[in-house]
Amino acid sequence: MTRNSTIDEVTFVTILWVCQTISFFFVAIRLALQYHVDRKWHTSDIMILVAWLFSLGNGITWSAVYKQMYQVISLAKNSTIDFSEVPANIGWMQRRYLNGQLSAYLISFTGLWLIKLSFVFFFRQLGNRYRAQQILWWVVLVLVIGCYGGTLGCLDYKCEMSSLEYSIEVCATAGAMHSQQVRLRVATTLDILSDAAIIILSGNVMWRARVNLTRKLALIGVSFLTAFIIIIALLRLFLSVSDMSIIDPIWLGFWNALEICVGELTPLKRRLL
């Protein structure tokens, strides 16, 4: 797979909804088990549920605008444009696609960070007898929230809500594309930084708290899942930038959805712990 390859429309939408369906069953199992054990849901459980609803909104948004996205991107990739083949409503298509893309980014990032916060609040009840763990928990919480704000700040709102003329004159320039790459790298760094902080938090619990082997294995599983999410973030960065240094929104949307899906595959951790 080369960096400038992409996925077709059917595959894009199919994978979105397959991930959504799989994550639904995992979230449903988690919530059912949690209620069976404690007869209530904890903060981390509510966050996972809300995160799934955001991921559902992400899937609906992309499903509503993916046709316009593929049409606009297809025209943009052509070195020579036959204006007789350009749709008369290209301006509307472009605005609809960009507005939908911005909405999907905001929804997916919010859902992803709710998953991160669910991990953070999950670890709040573990090892809270130790002052060092309490301090670390607050540090990680502030860091994760700060990374969320920084990630939203990396979005190029002007170009995402621009007209066709502004996109051609400003957003398609070499300087603008370089700025988009920098924004993507910064956002990915913040994503990885927040995940690394969660791994450190879980590692500190394993180190300080006296837990049995089953619980330690569960904590290790959570850490490995978070590490896998980091790998997905790196793949998103690598595959979302084409050989022409142009960010591919198809890959970006795909990997965002996949990252959320993987983060939601945690139905048994409360039961094990």
Side-chain angles (χ1 to χ4, degrees):
M1 181 183 297
T2 59
R3 292 179 67 185
N4 60 347
S5 64
T6 189
I7 52 180
D8 59 75
E9 298 180 35
V10 175
T11 303
F12 178 78
V13 176
T14 300
I15 292 177
L16 281 181
W17 287 105
V18 167
C19 287
Q20 192 65 39
T21 303
I22 293 174
S23 64
F24 167 77
F25 285 108
F26 273 81
V27 171
I29 292 171
R30 168 184 175 150
L31 295 178
L33 285 174
Q34 177 57 52
Y35 190 80
H36 176 73
V37 173
D38 290 345
R39 294 298 175 184
K40 66 177 182 179
W41 289 338
H42 297 268
T43 303
S44 59
D45 302 309
I46 299 298
M47 286 183 171
I48 282 291
L49 175 59
V50 177
W52 184 85
L53 293 175
F54 270 95
S55 67
L56 176 63
N58 181 59
I60 293 173
T61 302
W62 280 121
S63 297
V65 302
Y66 78 94
K67 288 187 178 296
Q68 288 78 31
M69 175 178 68
Y70 273 88
Q71 288 176 308
V72 171
I73 292 175
S74 177
L75 289 172
K77 286 184 176 180
N78 290 333
S79 56
T80 58
I81 299 177
D82 185 356
F83 288 96
S84 63
E85 298 181 358
V86 176
N89 62 341
I90 183 63
W92 172 84
M93 290 170 53
Q94 192 253 7
R95 284 194 301 273
R96 176 179 170 84
Y97 149 58
L98 288 180
N99 290 338
Q101 178 175 262
L102 177 60
S103 299
Y105 287 164
L106 292 173
I107 291 171
S108 62
F109 285 139
T110 301
L112 179 60
W113 254 263
L114 281 170
I115 294 172
K116 295 175 189 286
L117 287 173
S118 76
F119 281 110
V120 174
F121 277 90
F122 168 70
F123 288 118
R124 185 179 187 180
Q125 298 181 354
L126 301 176
N128 58 2
R129 299 187 305 272
Y130 305 97
R131 180 169 177 78
Q133 176 68 11
Q134 294 175 0
I135 295 174
L136 179 61
W137 186 86
W138 281 105
V139 170
V140 172
L141 176 64
V142 172
L143 178 63
V144 170
I145 294 175
C147 288
Y148 170 66
T151 300
L152 294 187
C154 288
L155 294 174
D156 191 346
Y157 294 94
K158 282 188 177 181
C159 286
E160 293 291 347
M161 296 186 292
S162 65
S163 63
L164 180 61
E165 294 78 9
Y166 187 87
S167 294
I168 295 174
E169 295 175 0
V170 178
C171 301
T173 62
M177 288 188 288
H178 175 71
S179 176
Q180 291 172 6
Q181 291 184 55
V182 172
R183 290 170 183 268
L184 179 59
R185 291 191 180 100
V186 172
T188 303
T189 300
L190 294 174
D191 189 2
I192 294 174
L193 179 62
S194 59
D195 288 336
I198 294 172
I199 292 176
I200 293 173
L201 184 63
S202 64
N204 191 63
V205 170
M206 286 188 289
W207 178 260
R208 291 182 176 276
R210 295 180 179 179
V211 295
N212 57 35
L213 179 60
T214 301
R215 293 181 175 183
K216 283 188 176 181
L217 290 176
L219 288 171
I220 292 172
V222 172
S223 298
F224 272 111
L225 179 64
T226 308
F228 185 64
I229 293 174
I230 291 177
I231 294 174
I232 293 178
L234 291 172
L235 286 173
R236 179 184 62 198
L237 174 63
F238 178 77
L239 292 174
S240 296
V241 180
S242 70
D243 293 335
M244 298 175 63
S245 299
I246 300 174
I247 293 178
D248 189 339
I250 298 174
W251 277 119
L252 197 57
F254 169 80
W255 287 107
N256 277 351
L258 188 60
E259 189 174 3
I260 297 175
C261 179
V262 172
E264 290 171 339
L265 305 185
T266 56
L268 300 177
K269 67 180 185 180
R270 172 72 66 179
R271 182 70 179 93
L272 288 172
L273 295 173

